[in-house]
Each structure stands twice: as structure tokens, then as C-alpha cells.
Amino acid sequence: MTPEARRPVPLQEYLTTAYSPDREYRDGILLERNVGELAHATLQTLLAVYIGRRGKQWNVVSLISLRIRVRDGWYAVPDICIYSQPAPNERYPERPPLLWIEILSEDDRMTDVWAKAAELVKFGVPYVWIIEPHTLKSELWTASGAATIEDKTLRLPNTDIIIPLLEVMAR
């Protein structure tokens, strides 16, 4: 973590500053995101295109790297999120997305990723999907806990959303 990321930052400063890559904000502290690796970027792009092409059919909108207000003092940035229509229109949505997608990077610590997923679910995100981009192993976190996706195909209950990672990566 850089020294810049450790110093307390007022919320208004965070909300009016562009970081590259974007950072998350948690109770006055900037949190770096591990992004920028080829495998991460490739999966993020291919997933966004796959989901975007099916948005009308699924009645959803997908967004990349959107700052979302999870709770007072916590703005988090999913790699990709899916909102049921109607899409949010606020600059920083407060409504939780239907699906929050986190694509792992080499520097991610799984205990941190799991803790974040559990907190996101606690604050109202129904589904958090964590994907390892090299192996495509993934987990789906819900209020019931975490489950491994054995066949590399996400199926969201009570929706038409089916995302087969092998097909997504086949380009």
C-alpha cells in the first residue's frame, strides 16, 4: 500500500478525485485495487461484452468499475456489476447491484476478498461472484454462504442469467 493510500482522506476529496486505477474508500482511508494484469483485464473485458450483449434479454445493465456507496463511509468498486432494470441514475449508486463480480489478481489476499464478499452480502448485495482468471475457478457468495461453481457456469437463481466462463473465454 502506498503512503498516499494510508493517509486519511475526506469523503468529498475522494468523490471529486480521479485515481488511476480507481481506489475504494473506507472510513476515510483509500484502498488500492489490484488491477491492470493481462488475465484480469482480459476476463473483465470479455465478461462485460458477454453480459452487455445479453442485457436486453436479461433485463439488466452491466457496468465496469463503478463506485458504489455500500454504506456511510464505504465506497467500493466492483470489477463488474449487474443491475436489474431500471438502471441506477445516481453518480454513485446506493442501491446494491444484483451481481457484484470480483476478478482476482495475483496480489489479492483471499482472506481480504472473502471478508469483503461477506460484508457486501451483509449490506444487501444478493450475489457476489469471485473468479480466478487463470483457472476460472469461482465462488458465489450469498446470504446462505459461499459455494464453489463446479462447472465454471454461473446460474443466478430466479433469473435467466447464465454465464458459462469457458464460452466467455473462447471469444
Side-chain angles (χ1 to χ4, degrees):
M1 187 178 291
T2 65
E4 173 197 30
R6 283 188 224 141
R7 75 171 175 86
V9 173
L11 177 59
Q12 195 56 36
E13 179 181 329
Y14 167 73
L15 293 176
T16 57
T17 303
Y19 301 95
S20 184
D22 201 3
R23 295 199 170 53
E24 296 191 355
Y25 180 88
R26 191 162 193 152
D27 304 318
I29 303 298
L30 293 177
L31 302 173
E32 292 183 30
R33 297 172 56 235
N34 296 320
V35 298
E37 298 170 0
L38 181 60
H40 182 283
T42 299
L43 180 55
Q44 183 177 24
T45 300
L46 294 174
L47 270 173
V49 168
Y50 185 90
I51 295 164
R53 287 184 176 153
R54 289 153 182 82
K56 192 175 225 180
Q57 172 190 348
W58 294 343
N59 198 31
V60 299
V61 62
S62 66
L63 302 163
I64 297 173
S65 300
L66 174 68
R67 288 181 181 178
I68 297 173
R69 182 183 171 277
V70 179
R71 62 158 169 79
D72 284 340
W74 183 18
Y75 287 74
V77 182
D79 291 312
I80 302 171
C81 62
I82 297 176
Y83 277 94
S84 298
Q85 293 285 15
N89 58 11
E90 311 95 334
R91 184 171 182 185
Y92 308 110
E94 295 183 19
R95 174 172 56 121
L98 171 66
L99 176 63
W100 186 294
I101 301 173
E102 289 288 329
I103 300 168
L104 298 176
S105 294
E106 303 249 343
D107 294 333
D108 284 329
R109 291 184 44 210
M110 287 311 298
T111 54
D112 294 339
V113 175
W114 291 329
K116 180 179 177 181
E119 281 189 273
L120 289 167
V121 169
K122 175 183 170 188
F123 285 106
V125 178
Y127 302 102
V128 178
W129 191 20
I130 302 169
I131 309 166
E132 201 296 314
H134 298 283
T135 64
L136 301 181
K137 289 183 180 179
S138 65
E139 299 174 334
L140 185 64
W141 284 68
T142 68
S144 301
T148 300
I149 308 229
E150 298 295 341
D151 64 355
K152 297 180 175 41
T153 299
L154 175 71
R155 294 170 186 85
L156 281 191
N158 305 313
T159 75
D160 293 333
I161 298 173
I162 299 172
I163 306 173
L165 287 174
L166 294 174
E167 183 180 324
V168 168
M169 293 302 289
R171 303 176 205 205

